[in-house]
Amino acid sequence: MAYTVSKLTDYSAAALERASAELFSALGAEASAVKNEADWKLFRDRWMARKNGVLTQINDLWLKAAPKDAKREAGQQVNLIKEQVEQKVEGAKAWLRAPVLEVTHPGIEVPAAELERYAFEKVGAVDITLPGVRRPIGAEHPVIKTTNEMVRVFQKLGYSVAEGPVVETDYYNFESLNFPVNHPARDTQDTLFIAGQQGKAQRDRLLLRTHTSPVQIRTMEKMRPPLRIVIPGVVHRNDPPDASHSPMFHQIEGLAVDTNITFGDLKGTLDHAMKEFFGSSVKTSFRPSFFPFTEPSAEMFVSCFICGGSGRRGNDPCRPCKQTGWIEILGCGMVDPNVFEFVKNNGYDPRKVSGFAFGMGADRIALLKYGVDDIQLFFSGDVRFLQQWA
């Protein structure tokens, strides 16, 4: 039986909802019965004709006849009905325009792909029987994944993550870290300087940071001891790219400052961190070295986690450790008192506090961990290579 508009005697919210539900049910049934252009024209005129269409009757019998205190609610409901009717009428027309493909489900006609978007966007309808469009899900880059894993190791030890600018001044990158004016690292052979800085004082000249150590000074300027931070970030050096070098790479540094910190604290912290990251079976070894900002300084090695420290992989030599059974993993040392002098007024009096610092290359660790033999593969953007860690 065709839908007939009845005059309302009850204008409560519940009554309006019931009446509208009855109308929408009839609207959907009649829309689904449209099979050709003639059916569509009859459907359109029945619901939208100006003289006696259903919408006109709704406006006269529901809205105009509504009591004054119910006009607002009735008007909102009539507007909603009008929107639904227009969408249904236009929707039936859109489906008729689209060529029909093979029927994959009883009673469902799937429009051709080139008109699906038109039908859906124009009508606002969604066919929930069709498969959704899935966006490919990305994954962490192996270097970023390695960085995050190492940072989490130190976060568990109570370290906070600190960050700083990539474009630095000579003061933070060199001077405040106890690099002498004539230190080779300042040369253009190693450092990428920003052009047009000749008119500035030496300490104010801009450059691309060569390590994340400037963040140590910046953090000590802001925070008083005790202090424990881990610093991940990208750095730049004037290195020609090859299998083991890149002008852009990633570092992870750490700094701990407190009273009575000793080299034993440094060794215990790093030994625990390496066992947490590489596995409890690895051993650590410290060998004397030199860095301008630490004294004494050391390089830390871990027993080769690939060959188990034997130097061989079956009958073949172990290439990552060069048959030594040890892999150099980072540089470290006790913070040089000269560095504390630059932040002495913020509680870092070298006579009262001590600390240790360390730094490692995240790219190098990723190379070892994933068995990659060319650092350039990490930065080539080749999806085929990166998909191995997706």
Side-chain angles (χ1 to χ4, degrees), residues 79-199:
N79 287 336
L80 176 62
I81 292 172
K82 181 180 178 182
E83 292 177 2
Q84 293 294 318
V85 169
E86 290 176 348
Q87 287 185 5
K88 280 292 184 181
V89 171
E90 188 63 26
K93 183 179 180 181
W95 284 102
L96 283 170
R97 288 174 178 169
V100 175
L101 301 180
E102 180 184 355
V103 176
T104 56
H105 298 281
I108 299 177
E109 293 179 337
V110 183
E114 62 270 20
L115 293 177
E116 283 182 357
R117 179 177 298 178
Y118 169 81
F120 288 153
E121 292 182 352
K122 188 72 174 177
V123 183
V126 176
D127 186 347
I128 62 174
T129 65
L130 296 176
V133 178
R134 295 184 178 181
R135 179 175 297 178
I137 299 177
E140 283 185 318
H141 189 281
V143 173
I144 301 303
K145 184 177 181 179
T146 300
T147 298
N148 292 339
E149 289 175 356
M150 185 63 77
V151 167
R152 281 194 290 270
V153 169
F154 286 96
Q155 284 181 311
K156 291 178 181 179
L157 294 173
Y159 284 65
S160 300
V161 178
E163 296 180 332
V166 175
V167 178
E168 267 294 2
T169 64
D170 184 281
Y171 172 78
Y172 285 109
N173 197 79
F174 293 125
E175 182 180 341
S176 62
L177 293 169
N178 201 36
F179 281 79
V181 176
N182 59 350
H183 194 281
R186 292 174 177 264
D187 294 344
T188 54
Q189 287 83 0
D190 292 318
T191 306
L192 297 171
F193 290 91
I194 306 299
Q197 303 290 304
Q198 293 80 1

Side-chain angles (χ1 to χ4, degrees), residues 24-38:
F24 291 145
S25 177
L27 176 66
E30 294 188 26
S32 63
V34 174
K35 300 299 183 183
N36 51 50
E37 186 174 0

